[in-house]
Amino acid sequence: MENLSINDIPDIRKKTLQPLIDFIQNKLNTAQAVNINFICTHNSRRSHLSQVWAQASAVYYGIPNVHCYSGGTEVTALFPMVARVLEYTGFNIQKLSDSSNPLYAIKYSPNFHPVIGFSKKYDDDFNPVSGFAAIMTCSQADGGCPFISGAEQRIPITFEDPKVFDGTPEQEAKYMERSKQIAREMKYVFSTIKK
């Protein structure tokens, strides 16, 4: 986390991130749990990266009672390159099951429970049913799913899809680039929160 610079985030992105900052701050100011559900179409790439980096950033800055989730409008699988990129950047990754939709334990701190990564719909029993911010991480899910049941607030924070580079020589570099962008932006979000 120390190596992630948040100084070069463009003002337009800071403006995009502000509603999430406001949601988190308002919840903390009223001593409520902060539940954030990152939603993408397939819950395979950007939503998982966002969930993991947001949870790690909350812990890094000592922001209490933050619970990050992810889901999709469809169920597929966590793409293996996402797990690999997270592992390269220091997360401890354990593959807990071997199936068409494998289960991963993504450990971001020795003192906290890992994020459990697997593809699921945004309204899966694993995720909160109310009082959460629905963060739309892809424009397809944002446009195609205008209503998220139980969401207290719906916030579009979209990222370019690294999937377009799958199977190319640039695949790993593009996944790392997207992961670092999401990491910097989630670090920025939690760096602004006043406890």
Side-chain angles (χ1 to χ4, degrees):
M1 292 294 283
E2 289 86 13
N3 297 332
L4 291 170
S5 172
I6 58 176
N7 299 326
D8 57 352
I9 296 173
D11 287 342
I12 187 110
R13 285 302 286 180
K14 288 180 179 178
K15 187 175 180 181
T16 299
L17 296 166
Q18 192 60 49
L20 176 56
I21 293 168
D22 294 342
F23 176 84
I24 296 166
Q25 193 66 66
N26 290 337
K27 288 291 186 179
L28 290 175
N29 291 347
T30 55
Q32 296 180 63
V34 180
N35 292 316
I36 306 168
N37 194 354
F38 294 93
I39 300 170
C40 207
T41 303
H42 299 115
N43 191 214
S44 59
R45 294 167 176 81
R46 293 165 285 178
S47 50
H48 282 292
L49 289 170
S50 299
Q51 174 190 11
V52 170
W53 281 113
Q55 193 69 65
S57 296
V59 168
Y60 179 77
Y61 283 106
I63 310 299
N65 215 8
V66 174
H67 312 284
C68 298
Y69 304 88
S70 68
T73 58
E74 303 171 26
V75 176
T76 56
L78 190 152
F79 192 65
M81 182 56 73
V82 169
R84 200 168 312 137
V85 163
L86 288 170
E87 192 167 39
Y88 291 160
T89 53
F91 292 90
N92 182 347
I93 310 290
Q94 284 185 292
K95 192 173 185 183
L96 302 177
S97 72
D98 220 0
S99 66
S100 60
N101 184 8
L103 198 66
Y104 294 85
I106 305 163
K107 192 88 168 161
Y108 55 91
S109 171
N111 296 321
F112 291 87
H113 290 291
V115 169
I116 303 300
F118 65 102
S119 184
K120 63 205 144 315
K121 285 192 75 177
Y122 68 85
D123 58 356
D124 187 272
D125 288 343
F126 203 79
N127 291 341
V129 297
S130 64
F132 62 91
I135 310 303
M136 311 308 285
T137 61
C138 79
S139 55
Q140 186 179 351
D142 186 36
C145 197
F147 176 73
I148 303 293
S149 178
E152 185 174 312
Q153 192 170 347
R154 186 178 185 282
I155 305 168
I157 302 176
T158 61
F159 300 97
E160 289 182 29
D161 195 351
K163 180 182 181 176
V164 298
F165 295 96
D166 287 0
T168 71
E170 299 110 321
Q171 179 180 359
E172 186 174 310
K174 290 298 182 179
Y175 273 79
M176 186 64 78
E177 179 184 304
R178 190 61 54 241
S179 180
K180 284 182 178 176
Q181 177 199 0
I182 292 169
R184 282 193 309 270
E185 292 188 4
M186 291 302 111
K187 182 179 180 182
Y188 168 75
V189 164
F190 285 95
S191 75
T192 66
I193 301 301
K194 292 164 184 59
K195 295 183 269 182

